Amino acid sequence: MPELPEVETVKNDLKSKITGTKIVSVNALWPGIVKDTPYKVFVKQVEGAEIIKVKRRAKNLIISLSNGLNLLVHLKMTGHFLIAESSAEISKEGKWLKAKNTDLLNDRQNQFIRIIFYLDNGMILAMSDMRKFAYIKLVGDKELQTFLSSYGPEPFSPEFTEERLKKILRAKNIVVKKVLMDQSKIAGIGNIYADEILWAARVHPLSVSYKLSDQDVKAIYQNIKKILKLAIEKRGTSTSDFRDTSGRKGTFGDLRNVYRRTDLPCPECGGSVKKITVGGRGTHFCPVCQKEVK
Ligand SMILES: [Zn+2]
């Protein structure tokens, strides 16, 4: 699932490629991607509107329109936006038939187009989503603010200090990995980066969060920033479905130390990476380097 670095990559792409363009028309191959608003109403509201801003909050994308409404987009498991020239062609089943960019044509992950926005700059904005969990909602500013206020601080915001993280961790008598992935506590961290952050901090994913030492908290704090920053530079992780708006993979997966490296050597000690389940999610760690604090 796309996490902060992947959604940030998409946001940056969209910001530079579609800000200031007008949506000429919309064509949903699967109208179910639009949630809460009848599809016909959605089309009426969106067609003719100008895209004035693209933002990210947690794992959400917010595309603000000139008519005062916003497209609130969650990519969920396999959703990703793709941008192509208007001469590109997509079949009724959502497969690329024609495109200058061969990454669109050749990568299977890009062949599940559910909705297409035709823009007045001669480009098309399409969303591919194999699993059909991604959604687009049309919301006013007030509804948007209410929805976004349920999220914890952004890892790169000034309010996310080491002290704040200490408070977040000390308030909980649950395992640390669950706290890191709780979007109401910290925004944007999911399964991949939680595993990588905890390995880099030498903290066991099952350690009880309120019992972590000041040194552990410091290590987690520093590695949240360091790893998310590096992952943004590498345009995310594409060990499974994620692609950027050109249909290309991010390369942070090449740098990962434990995530989905079960039984492979830990880069620090050479021991085997183990996999357990935490909160229903596959969790990867090194039992030698990461000692459990009970
Ligand atoms: Zn190790």
Side-chain angles (χ1 to χ4, degrees):
M1 183 193 276
E3 304 179 26
L4 187 152
E6 290 76 34
V7 184
E8 182 72 10
T9 299
V10 175
K11 184 265 283 176
N12 290 335
D13 280 3
L14 294 182
K15 204 174 166 180
S16 65
K17 292 178 180 176
I18 68 168
T19 306
T21 64
K22 195 186 261 185
I23 299 170
V24 179
S25 63
V26 189
N27 178 21
L29 306 179
W30 182 62
I33 196 166
V34 175
K35 294 276 187 293
D36 299 349
T37 304
Y39 179 64
K40 276 188 181 169
V41 176
F42 176 84
V43 171
K44 238 186 197 168
Q45 296 278 12
V46 165
E47 285 185 350
E50 187 186 319
I51 292 165
I52 54 172
K53 217 180 242 177
V54 185
K55 287 182 290 188
R56 180 193 58 76
R57 175 79 170 99
K59 301 174 194 170
N60 300 280
L61 284 165
I62 299 123
I63 301 173
S64 300
L65 304 176
S66 54
N67 59 11
L69 295 169
N70 308 276
L71 302 177
L72 172 62
V73 182
H74 201 299
L75 303 172
K76 290 287 176 180
M77 304 291 287
T78 58
H80 55 275
F81 275 118
L82 297 166
I83 294 177
E85 68 288 346
S86 60
S87 60
E89 286 174 26
I90 298 166
S91 75
K92 272 187 209 152
E93 293 76 34
K95 288 187 171 59
W96 294 93
L97 298 172
K98 200 179 121 193
K100 282 182 194 162
N101 175 359
T102 51
D103 288 307
L104 298 181
L105 291 168
N106 298 337
D107 188 334
R108 184 173 174 270
Q109 293 305 335
N110 298 327
Q111 311 304 319
F112 302 91
I113 305 300
R114 307 301 182 196
I115 191 164
I116 308 164
F117 297 89
Y118 294 88
L119 307 176
D120 72 344
N121 68 346
M123 304 298 277
I124 64 176
L125 172 68
M127 188 193 274
S128 180
D129 180 27
M130 183 175 71
R131 299 284 297 274
K132 287 190 173 176
F133 289 121
Y135 63 74
I136 302 176
K137 292 182 182 182
L138 191 62
V139 295
D141 286 340
K142 221 175 171 182
E143 192 186 338
L144 181 68
Q145 289 321 317
T146 307
F147 174 74
L148 296 179
S149 66
S150 64
Y151 288 96
E154 285 289 328
F156 294 110
S157 68
E159 56 181 309
F160 186 67
T161 58
E162 196 179 319
E163 267 317 295
R164 179 78 181 259
L165 178 65
K166 197 180 285 180
K167 269 188 196 146
I168 291 167
L169 292 169
R170 297 271 155 89
K172 286 280 174 188
N173 183 15
I174 59 171
V175 303
V176 61
K177 180 167 176 188
K178 281 195 194 172
V179 182
L180 291 189
M181 290 179 57
D182 182 341
Q183 299 301 299
S184 71
K185 300 288 176 268
I186 308 164
I189 299 172
N191 210 31
I192 303 171
Y193 298 104
D195 282 3
E196 291 299 320
I197 289 162
L198 290 173
W199 179 83
R202 305 291 184 257
V203 172
H204 194 292
L206 288 177
S207 290
V208 176
S209 75
Y210 82 93
K211 290 186 177 171
L212 293 171
S213 68
D214 286 356
Q215 200 190 336
D216 289 336
V217 175
K218 188 187 230 16
I220 294 172
Y221 180 77
Q222 289 173 342
N223 280 294
I224 286 175
K225 298 213 170 195
K226 189 176 150 192
I227 289 171
L228 295 179
K229 183 171 175 276
L230 180 62
I232 293 168
E233 283 167 18
K234 299 295 172 189
R235 301 183 65 77
T237 302
S238 296
T239 44
S240 59
D241 317 89
F242 176 70
R243 302 293 182 267
D244 69 13
T245 61
S246 302
R248 294 193 186 105
K249 293 180 178 183
T251 57
F252 182 81
D254 300 339
L255 303 177
R256 72 196 195 279
N257 292 299
V258 285
Y259 178 74
R260 288 196 183 170
R261 293 191 73 252
T262 311
D263 295 334
L264 290 171
C266 163
E268 179 67 20
C269 71
S272 287
V273 171
K274 292 278 171 278
K275 185 182 177 187
I276 53 170
T277 303
V278 179
R281 306 298 301 274
T283 295
H284 313 80
F285 70 105
C286 172
V288 177
C289 296
Q290 295 165 266
K291 286 285 172 225
E292 190 173 340
V293 182
K294 288 185 187 172

